[in-house]
Amino acid sequence: MSQPVFAVMLTLGAGLLYTLGYAIAKILAATLDPVQITFLRSAIVLAGAAVFALRLRDPAAAVRRLVAPPQAKDQRLAAVLLIVSTTLAVVGYSLVPVTEASALGFTAPIILVLLGALVLREHVTPRRWVALALGFAGMLAVVRPGGDLFTWAAAVPVSAALMYALYQVMTRRIRGVADEWDATLQGALAGVVMLAPAMPFLWRVPDAAALALVVVYAAVQTAALLCIAGAVRRAEVSGLAPWHYSRIVFALILDAILFARVPGAWALVGCALIAAGGLVLAWPRKPAAR
């Protein structure tokens, strides 16, 4: 299997796992604080890595690589972006239904293009204006001014996706010095360090069922991170972007299975328009004939 094809397969796998993970987080948010969920996930991953490191020939070297990684500034920035994105996503999915949260998250690339045009005075091609129009129309269809989702909560999944897009760019930037496990463990370390100070104020005692579900969530999210880190090391972020829209399909399926919910007609139309706008924006153009 070629590297680009394998990268696409990893991206599709990450889409399914991310959507499943955030659906689980939505269930957990009924009893645990969203920040606590991210903290517990990070702590579980870090604890698992510590147990695994004890089996290595040189555990001290693994610890040194975690504490003092190569290209440390970029790795740590990527880790911070990951934790901010994950925390915002858990909050967003706790406030907004799975399908709508997934769709709203995909307005992020379109918003970046708009900001580039308005703030940085970048040239926007007609194709990008079409993508912006489709994405904006889709967002309006999902939130529907005057509808239940027309609140500040709708901005949370979008903010999470913006942070996640920046994380993917940083992961691509550090691919020469950090592999999938490095990116995952740096994120876990950042999550523990960043979120631990808030735990005395936000902690809710989980029962056995919640703890078991947190472990499942940590495993699913870690697998998703490994998939996406592996994908962006093997192919360009822009080339993989269209395949991320598979998450809307996965969200529709999981909404039906886990929450017995089928989104309304307007939400489905909005999902389709956002996906269409993203595909127009991300799909590579054919090279001009010479």
Side-chain angles (χ1 to χ4, degrees):
M1 184 182 295
S2 66
Q3 289 289 318
V5 173
F6 188 45
V8 169
M9 297 300 292
L10 287 172
T11 303
L12 292 173
L16 173 58
L17 291 167
Y18 267 131
T19 309
L20 176 59
Y22 286 126
I24 293 172
K26 184 178 183 67
I27 297 172
L28 284 168
T31 55
L32 302 179
D33 188 271
V35 177
Q36 180 185 2
I37 294 170
T38 303
F39 171 79
L40 287 172
R41 187 200 73 82
S42 301
I44 290 170
V45 171
L46 211 55
V51 172
F52 179 77
L54 294 175
R55 298 174 175 267
L56 299 177
R57 181 176 300 177
D58 187 2
V63 174
R64 286 194 299 270
R65 184 173 180 83
L66 178 64
V67 176
Q71 208 169 318
K73 183 177 179 180
D74 287 340
Q75 286 210 54
R76 286 168 181 156
L77 177 57
V80 169
L81 290 170
L82 173 62
I83 293 305
V84 173
S85 168
T86 301
T87 305
L88 286 172
V90 174
V91 173
Y93 277 79
S94 71
L95 298 171
V96 178
V98 172
T99 300
E100 285 85 339
S102 181
L104 288 171
F106 283 116
T107 61
I110 299 168
I111 291 173
L112 286 174
V113 172
L114 182 61
L115 289 175
L118 297 178
V119 179
L120 301 178
R121 304 298 181 184
E122 294 177 347
H123 173 66
V124 180
T125 64
R127 186 175 74 153
R128 290 187 173 184
W129 282 119
V130 170
L132 284 169
L134 287 170
F136 184 71
M139 183 170 61
L140 287 179
V142 171
V143 301
R144 293 190 313 284
D148 293 339
L149 287 183
F150 193 62
T151 65
W152 64 269
V156 180
V158 179
S159 302
L162 285 169
M163 294 296 103
Y164 183 63
L166 293 174
Y167 165 72
Q168 288 186 73
V169 172
M170 289 302 302
T171 301
R172 179 75 177 168
R173 182 173 176 177
I174 61 177
R175 68 189 185 279
V177 297
D179 60 17
E180 295 91 329
W181 284 108
D182 290 322
T184 300
L185 293 180
Q186 287 297 325
L189 179 62
V192 170
V193 172
M194 290 170 60
L195 303 180
M199 287 305 98
F201 308 99
L202 301 177
W203 187 263
R204 302 175 190 170
V205 179
D207 58 21
L211 279 176
L213 202 55
V214 168
V215 172
V216 174
Y217 168 66
V220 169
Q221 286 292 93
T222 300
L225 283 173
L226 291 172
C227 284
I228 199 62
V232 298
R233 288 180 67 240
R234 291 170 172 84
E236 293 183 354
V237 172
S238 58
L240 296 174
W243 301 100
H244 287 290
Y245 288 87
S246 63
R247 287 174 60 178
I248 292 179
V249 178
F250 298 140
L252 285 166
I253 295 171
L254 289 173
D255 236 351
I257 294 174
L258 296 179
F259 303 101
R261 177 182 179 273
V262 177
W266 279 109
L268 293 174
V269 169
C271 289
L273 288 171
I274 290 170
L279 291 172
V280 169
L281 184 65
W283 205 270
R285 290 176 295 179
K286 294 181 180 181
R290 295 183 179 179

mmCIF file of all heavy atoms in Angstrom, residues 192-231:
data_model
loop_
_atom_site.group_PDB
_atom_site.id
_atom_site.type_symbol
_atom_site.label_atom_id
_atom_site.label_comp_id
_atom_site.label_asym_id
_atom_site.label_seq_id
_atom_site.Cartn_x
_atom_site.Cartn_y
_atom_site.Cartn_z
ATOM 1 N N VAL A 192 -1.921 17.055 31.682
ATOM 2 C CA VAL A 192 -1.792 16.921 33.131
ATOM 3 C C VAL A 192 -1.288 18.222 33.747
ATOM 4 O O VAL A 192 -1.829 18.710 34.750
ATOM 5 C CB VAL A 192 -0.852 15.745 33.483
ATOM 6 C CG1 VAL A 192 -0.515 15.748 34.975
ATOM 7 C CG2 VAL A 192 -1.491 14.421 33.084
ATOM 8 N N VAL A 193 -0.249 18.806 33.150
ATOM 9 C CA VAL A 193 0.345 20.023 33.708
ATOM 10 C C VAL A 193 -0.619 21.201 33.635
ATOM 11 O O VAL A 193 -0.772 21.967 34.597
ATOM 12 C CB VAL A 193 1.660 20.352 32.965
ATOM 13 C CG1 VAL A 193 2.196 21.718 33.396
ATOM 14 C CG2 VAL A 193 2.706 19.275 33.229
ATOM 15 N N MET A 194 -1.303 21.360 32.505
ATOM 16 C CA MET A 194 -2.176 22.513 32.310
ATOM 17 C C MET A 194 -3.460 22.427 33.129
ATOM 18 O O MET A 194 -3.959 23.443 33.631
ATOM 19 C CB MET A 194 -2.533 22.649 30.819
ATOM 20 C CG MET A 194 -1.394 23.066 29.922
ATOM 21 S SD MET A 194 -1.843 22.925 28.167
ATOM 22 C CE MET A 194 -3.247 24.051 28.072
ATOM 23 N N LEU A 195 -4.013 21.231 33.251
ATOM 24 C CA LEU A 195 -5.349 21.097 33.833
ATOM 25 C C LEU A 195 -5.353 20.712 35.308
ATOM 26 O O LEU A 195 -6.384 20.884 35.980
ATOM 27 C CB LEU A 195 -6.159 20.067 33.035
ATOM 28 C CG LEU A 195 -6.306 20.360 31.533
ATOM 29 C CD1 LEU A 195 -7.124 19.277 30.858
ATOM 30 C CD2 LEU A 195 -6.917 21.728 31.287
ATOM 31 N N ALA A 196 -4.227 20.219 35.821
ATOM 32 C CA ALA A 196 -4.170 19.807 37.227
ATOM 33 C C ALA A 196 -4.545 20.942 38.190
ATOM 34 O O ALA A 196 -5.277 20.700 39.165
ATOM 35 C CB ALA A 196 -2.787 19.252 37.563
ATOM 36 N N PRO A 197 -4.095 22.185 37.959
ATOM 37 C CA PRO A 197 -4.462 23.252 38.901
ATOM 38 C C PRO A 197 -5.967 23.487 39.023
ATOM 39 O O PRO A 197 -6.440 23.990 40.055
ATOM 40 C CB PRO A 197 -3.756 24.485 38.319
ATOM 41 C CG PRO A 197 -2.608 23.936 37.548
ATOM 42 C CD PRO A 197 -3.116 22.665 36.961
ATOM 43 N N ALA A 198 -6.721 23.125 37.998
ATOM 44 C CA ALA A 198 -8.170 23.345 38.051
ATOM 45 C C ALA A 198 -8.920 22.212 38.742
ATOM 46 O O ALA A 198 -10.099 22.371 39.090
ATOM 47 C CB ALA A 198 -8.721 23.520 36.635
ATOM 48 N N MET A 199 -8.272 21.089 38.944
ATOM 49 C CA MET A 199 -8.974 19.919 39.464
ATOM 50 C C MET A 199 -9.567 20.110 40.869
ATOM 51 O O MET A 199 -10.673 19.627 41.131
ATOM 52 C CB MET A 199 -8.056 18.697 39.431
ATOM 53 C CG MET A 199 -7.805 18.141 38.027
ATOM 54 S SD MET A 199 -9.340 17.736 37.132
ATOM 55 C CE MET A 199 -9.561 19.211 36.121
ATOM 56 N N PRO A 200 -8.880 20.784 41.795
ATOM 57 C CA PRO A 200 -9.511 20.967 43.118
ATOM 58 C C PRO A 200 -10.857 21.699 43.056
ATOM 59 O O PRO A 200 -11.698 21.530 43.941
ATOM 60 C CB PRO A 200 -8.469 21.787 43.893
ATOM 61 C CG PRO A 200 -7.170 21.468 43.230
ATOM 62 C CD PRO A 200 -7.506 21.308 41.787
ATOM 63 N N PHE A 201 -11.062 22.493 42.011
ATOM 64 C CA PHE A 201 -12.287 23.281 41.892
ATOM 65 C C PHE A 201 -13.362 22.580 41.051
ATOM 66 O O PHE A 201 -14.549 22.862 41.203
ATOM 67 C CB PHE A 201 -11.970 24.645 41.282
ATOM 68 C CG PHE A 201 -10.867 25.383 41.987
ATOM 69 C CD1 PHE A 201 -9.569 25.366 41.496
ATOM 70 C CD2 PHE A 201 -11.118 26.081 43.159
ATOM 71 C CE1 PHE A 201 -8.547 26.041 42.143
ATOM 72 C CE2 PHE A 201 -10.103 26.757 43.815
ATOM 73 C CZ PHE A 201 -8.817 26.735 43.313
ATOM 74 N N LEU A 202 -12.926 21.689 40.143
ATOM 75 C CA LEU A 202 -13.863 21.084 39.199
ATOM 76 C C LEU A 202 -14.101 19.599 39.437
ATOM 77 O O LEU A 202 -14.977 19.013 38.806
ATOM 78 C CB LEU A 202 -13.337 21.270 37.756
ATOM 79 C CG LEU A 202 -13.108 22.703 37.289
ATOM 80 C CD1 LEU A 202 -12.513 22.708 35.884
ATOM 81 C CD2 LEU A 202 -14.402 23.503 37.308
ATOM 82 N N TRP A 203 -13.350 19.006 40.353
ATOM 83 C CA TRP A 203 -13.376 17.546 40.504
ATOM 84 C C TRP A 203 -14.744 17.057 40.978
ATOM 85 O O TRP A 203 -15.347 17.593 41.893
ATOM 86 C CB TRP A 203 -12.322 17.102 41.509
ATOM 87 C CG TRP A 203 -12.188 15.605 41.592
ATOM 88 C CD1 TRP A 203 -12.768 14.781 42.497
ATOM 89 C CD2 TRP A 203 -11.441 14.772 40.700
ATOM 90 N NE1 TRP A 203 -12.421 13.483 42.251
ATOM 91 C CE2 TRP A 203 -11.609 13.440 41.143
ATOM 92 C CE3 TRP A 203 -10.644 15.013 39.576
ATOM 93 C CZ2 TRP A 203 -10.996 12.361 40.514
ATOM 94 C CZ3 TRP A 203 -10.044 13.943 38.942
ATOM 95 C CH2 TRP A 203 -10.220 12.641 39.409
ATOM 96 N N ARG A 204 -15.231 16.028 40.292
ATOM 97 C CA ARG A 204 -16.425 15.302 40.702
ATOM 98 C C ARG A 204 -16.031 13.833 40.830
ATOM 99 O O ARG A 204 -15.384 13.291 39.925
ATOM 100 C CB ARG A 204 -17.545 15.444 39.656
ATOM 101 C CG ARG A 204 -17.956 16.877 39.371
ATOM 102 C CD ARG A 204 -18.981 16.917 38.249
ATOM 103 N NE ARG A 204 -19.243 18.269 37.776
ATOM 104 C CZ ARG A 204 -19.947 18.551 36.674
ATOM 105 N NH1 ARG A 204 -20.475 17.560 35.957
ATOM 106 N NH2 ARG A 204 -20.132 19.795 36.295
ATOM 107 N N VAL A 205 -16.392 13.215 41.922
ATOM 108 C CA VAL A 205 -15.977 11.832 42.171
ATOM 109 C C VAL A 205 -16.695 10.902 41.187
ATOM 110 O O VAL A 205 -17.930 10.804 41.209
ATOM 111 C CB VAL A 205 -16.295 11.411 43.614
ATOM 112 C CG1 VAL A 205 -15.872 9.968 43.847
ATOM 113 C CG2 VAL A 205 -15.587 12.345 44.594
ATOM 114 N N PRO A 206 -15.934 10.220 40.310
ATOM 115 C CA PRO A 206 -16.576 9.322 39.345
ATOM 116 C C PRO A 206 -16.883 7.964 39.973
ATOM 117 O O PRO A 206 -16.132 7.480 40.821
ATOM 118 C CB PRO A 206 -15.516 9.183 38.242
ATOM 119 C CG PRO A 206 -14.216 9.403 38.948
ATOM 120 C CD PRO A 206 -14.487 10.348 40.087
ATOM 121 N N ASP A 207 -17.977 7.351 39.545
ATOM 122 C CA ASP A 207 -18.262 5.996 40.002
ATOM 123 C C ASP A 207 -17.527 4.995 39.114
ATOM 124 O O ASP A 207 -16.817 5.378 38.174
ATOM 125 C CB ASP A 207 -19.767 5.728 40.010
ATOM 126 C CG ASP A 207 -20.418 5.923 38.647
ATOM 127 O OD1 ASP A 207 -19.701 5.883 37.625
ATOM 128 O OD2 ASP A 207 -21.652 6.133 38.600
ATOM 129 N N ALA A 208 -17.687 3.713 39.394
ATOM 130 C CA ALA A 208 -16.940 2.682 38.665
ATOM 131 C C ALA A 208 -17.276 2.693 37.175
ATOM 132 O O ALA A 208 -16.399 2.544 36.317
ATOM 133 C CB ALA A 208 -17.227 1.312 39.275
ATOM 134 N N ALA A 209 -18.562 2.886 36.853
ATOM 135 C CA ALA A 209 -18.973 2.895 35.445
ATOM 136 C C ALA A 209 -18.344 4.066 34.702
ATOM 137 O O ALA A 209 -17.877 3.920 33.558
ATOM 138 C CB ALA A 209 -20.490 2.957 35.352
ATOM 139 N N ALA A 210 -18.324 5.240 35.346
ATOM 140 C CA ALA A 210 -17.722 6.413 34.709
ATOM 141 C C ALA A 210 -16.226 6.217 34.509
ATOM 142 O O ALA A 210 -15.681 6.581 33.456
ATOM 143 C CB ALA A 210 -17.991 7.656 35.550
ATOM 144 N N LEU A 211 -15.550 5.631 35.498
ATOM 145 C CA LEU A 211 -14.112 5.380 35.366
ATOM 146 C C LEU A 211 -13.824 4.426 34.213
ATOM 147 O O LEU A 211 -12.880 4.632 33.439
ATOM 148 C CB LEU A 211 -13.552 4.811 36.667
ATOM 149 C CG LEU A 211 -13.229 5.815 37.769
ATOM 150 C CD1 LEU A 211 -12.778 5.091 39.028
ATOM 151 C CD2 LEU A 211 -12.157 6.808 37.301
ATOM 152 N N ALA A 212 -14.633 3.384 34.094
ATOM 153 C CA ALA A 212 -14.446 2.434 32.996
ATOM 154 C C ALA A 212 -14.650 3.126 31.653
ATOM 155 O O ALA A 212 -13.895 2.895 30.691
ATOM 156 C CB ALA A 212 -15.418 1.267 33.146
ATOM 157 N N LEU A 213 -15.652 3.999 31.582
ATOM 158 C CA LEU A 213 -15.921 4.711 30.333
ATOM 159 C C LEU A 213 -14.809 5.706 30.023
ATOM 160 O O LEU A 213 -14.465 5.919 28.844
ATOM 161 C CB LEU A 213 -17.269 5.429 30.432
ATOM 162 C CG LEU A 213 -17.963 5.786 29.112
ATOM 163 C CD1 LEU A 213 -18.128 4.553 28.244
ATOM 164 C CD2 LEU A 213 -19.316 6.430 29.391
ATOM 165 N N VAL A 214 -14.222 6.317 31.048
ATOM 166 C CA VAL A 214 -13.086 7.218 30.834
ATOM 167 C C VAL A 214 -11.903 6.453 30.240
ATOM 168 O O VAL A 214 -11.210 6.953 29.337
ATOM 169 C CB VAL A 214 -12.672 7.899 32.157
ATOM 170 C CG1 VAL A 214 -11.323 8.594 31.995
ATOM 171 C CG2 VAL A 214 -13.719 8.923 32.577
ATOM 172 N N VAL A 215 -11.660 5.238 30.723
ATOM 173 C CA VAL A 215 -10.571 4.418 30.181
ATOM 174 C C VAL A 215 -10.824 4.106 28.699
ATOM 175 O O VAL A 215 -9.920 4.194 27.868
ATOM 176 C CB VAL A 215 -10.411 3.113 30.994
ATOM 177 C CG1 VAL A 215 -9.414 2.170 30.313
ATOM 178 C CG2 VAL A 215 -9.947 3.436 32.412
ATOM 179 N N VAL A 216 -12.073 3.766 28.375
ATOM 180 C CA VAL A 216 -12.419 3.504 26.970
ATOM 181 C C VAL A 216 -12.221 4.765 26.138
ATOM 182 O O VAL A 216 -11.661 4.728 25.030
ATOM 183 C CB VAL A 216 -13.877 3.007 26.851
ATOM 184 C CG1 VAL A 216 -14.280 2.879 25.381
ATOM 185 C CG2 VAL A 216 -14.034 1.673 27.559
ATOM 186 N N TYR A 217 -12.677 5.891 26.671
ATOM 187 C CA TYR A 217 -12.511 7.171 25.977
ATOM 188 C C TYR A 217 -11.037 7.477 25.731
ATOM 189 O O TYR A 217 -10.651 7.888 24.628
ATOM 190 C CB TYR A 217 -13.157 8.284 26.797
ATOM 191 C CG TYR A 217 -12.826 9.682 26.339
ATOM 192 C CD1 TYR A 217 -13.250 10.152 25.099
ATOM 193 C CD2 TYR A 217 -12.074 10.546 27.145
ATOM 194 C CE1 TYR A 217 -12.946 11.438 24.673
ATOM 195 C CE2 TYR A 217 -11.773 11.826 26.733
ATOM 196 C CZ TYR A 217 -12.209 12.271 25.495
ATOM 197 O OH TYR A 217 -11.890 13.536 25.079
ATOM 198 N N ALA A 218 -10.201 7.267 26.750
ATOM 199 C CA ALA A 218 -8.766 7.521 26.608
ATOM 200 C C ALA A 218 -8.158 6.638 25.531
ATOM 201 O O ALA A 218 -7.349 7.099 24.718
ATOM 202 C CB ALA A 218 -8.062 7.294 27.942
ATOM 203 N N ALA A 219 -8.558 5.373 25.493
ATOM 204 C CA ALA A 219 -8.026 4.449 24.496
ATOM 205 C C ALA A 219 -8.450 4.860 23.085
ATOM 206 O O ALA A 219 -7.633 4.866 22.146
ATOM 207 C CB ALA A 219 -8.496 3.027 24.800
ATOM 208 N N VAL A 220 -9.727 5.225 22.933
ATOM 209 C CA VAL A 220 -10.245 5.604 21.613
ATOM 210 C C VAL A 220 -9.583 6.894 21.129
ATOM 211 O O VAL A 220 -9.143 6.995 19.971
ATOM 212 C CB VAL A 220 -11.780 5.766 21.679
ATOM 213 C CG1 VAL A 220 -12.308 6.416 20.401
ATOM 214 C CG2 VAL A 220 -12.441 4.415 21.880
ATOM 215 N N GLN A 221 -9.492 7.903 22.001
ATOM 216 C CA GLN A 221 -8.893 9.175 21.614
ATOM 217 C C GLN A 221 -7.401 9.022 21.306
ATOM 218 O O GLN A 221 -6.884 9.647 20.376
ATOM 219 C CB GLN A 221 -9.084 10.201 22.727
ATOM 220 C CG GLN A 221 -10.496 10.734 22.843
ATOM 221 C CD GLN A 221 -10.880 11.595 21.655
ATOM 222 O OE1 GLN A 221 -11.446 11.087 20.691
ATOM 223 N NE2 GLN A 221 -10.592 12.865 21.695
ATOM 224 N N THR A 222 -6.709 8.194 22.081
ATOM 225 C CA THR A 222 -5.286 7.980 21.829
ATOM 226 C C THR A 222 -5.081 7.298 20.484
ATOM 227 O O THR A 222 -4.183 7.673 19.713
ATOM 228 C CB THR A 222 -4.663 7.131 22.954
ATOM 229 O OG1 THR A 222 -4.828 7.818 24.200
ATOM 230 C CG2 THR A 222 -3.179 6.905 22.703
ATOM 231 N N ALA A 223 -5.916 6.309 20.187
ATOM 232 C CA ALA A 223 -5.827 5.647 18.887
ATOM 233 C C ALA A 223 -6.085 6.635 17.751
ATOM 234 O O ALA A 223 -5.418 6.605 16.710
ATOM 235 C CB ALA A 223 -6.820 4.491 18.830
ATOM 236 N N ALA A 224 -7.053 7.554 17.956
ATOM 237 C CA ALA A 224 -7.341 8.566 16.940
ATOM 238 C C ALA A 224 -6.143 9.493 16.733
ATOM 239 O O ALA A 224 -5.788 9.831 15.595
ATOM 240 C CB ALA A 224 -8.568 9.376 17.340
ATOM 241 N N LEU A 225 -5.511 9.906 17.832
ATOM 242 C CA LEU A 225 -4.344 10.780 17.735
ATOM 243 C C LEU A 225 -3.199 10.095 17.004
ATOM 244 O O LEU A 225 -2.509 10.711 16.181
ATOM 245 C CB LEU A 225 -3.881 11.193 19.137
ATOM 246 C CG LEU A 225 -4.702 12.275 19.836
ATOM 247 C CD1 LEU A 225 -4.219 12.450 21.269
ATOM 248 C CD2 LEU A 225 -4.582 13.594 19.083
ATOM 249 N N LEU A 226 -2.987 8.818 17.297
ATOM 250 C CA LEU A 226 -1.930 8.070 16.620
ATOM 251 C C LEU A 226 -2.219 7.985 15.120
ATOM 252 O O LEU A 226 -1.310 8.110 14.296
ATOM 253 C CB LEU A 226 -1.803 6.670 17.220
ATOM 254 C CG LEU A 226 -1.257 6.603 18.647
ATOM 255 C CD1 LEU A 226 -1.356 5.185 19.185
ATOM 256 C CD2 LEU A 226 0.190 7.085 18.693
ATOM 257 N N CYS A 227 -3.491 7.784 14.788
ATOM 258 C CA CYS A 227 -3.863 7.711 13.370
ATOM 259 C C CYS A 227 -3.598 9.029 12.654
ATOM 260 O O CYS A 227 -3.000 9.053 11.564
ATOM 261 C CB CYS A 227 -5.340 7.334 13.242
ATOM 262 S SG CYS A 227 -5.709 5.606 13.551
ATOM 263 N N ILE A 228 -4.037 10.142 13.259
ATOM 264 C CA ILE A 228 -3.879 11.420 12.557
ATOM 265 C C ILE A 228 -2.427 11.850 12.506
ATOM 266 O O ILE A 228 -1.960 12.409 11.505
ATOM 267 C CB ILE A 228 -4.762 12.519 13.197
ATOM 268 C CG1 ILE A 228 -4.968 13.672 12.210
ATOM 269 C CG2 ILE A 228 -4.180 13.047 14.496
ATOM 270 C CD1 ILE A 228 -5.671 13.298 10.944
ATOM 271 N N ALA A 229 -1.671 11.570 13.581
ATOM 272 C CA ALA A 229 -0.241 11.904 13.557
ATOM 273 C C ALA A 229 0.472 11.087 12.492
ATOM 274 O O ALA A 229 1.353 11.596 11.775
ATOM 275 C CB ALA A 229 0.371 11.668 14.932
ATOM 276 N N GLY A 230 0.099 9.811 12.369
ATOM 277 C CA GLY A 230 0.696 8.978 11.333
ATOM 278 C C GLY A 230 0.313 9.441 9.940
ATOM 279 O O GLY A 230 1.128 9.387 9.007
ATOM 280 N N ALA A 231 -0.926 9.924 9.790
ATOM 281 C CA ALA A 231 -1.381 10.385 8.477
ATOM 282 C C ALA A 231 -0.625 11.627 8.021
ATOM 283 O O ALA A 231 -0.157 11.698 6.880
ATOM 284 C CB ALA A 231 -2.881 10.659 8.527
#
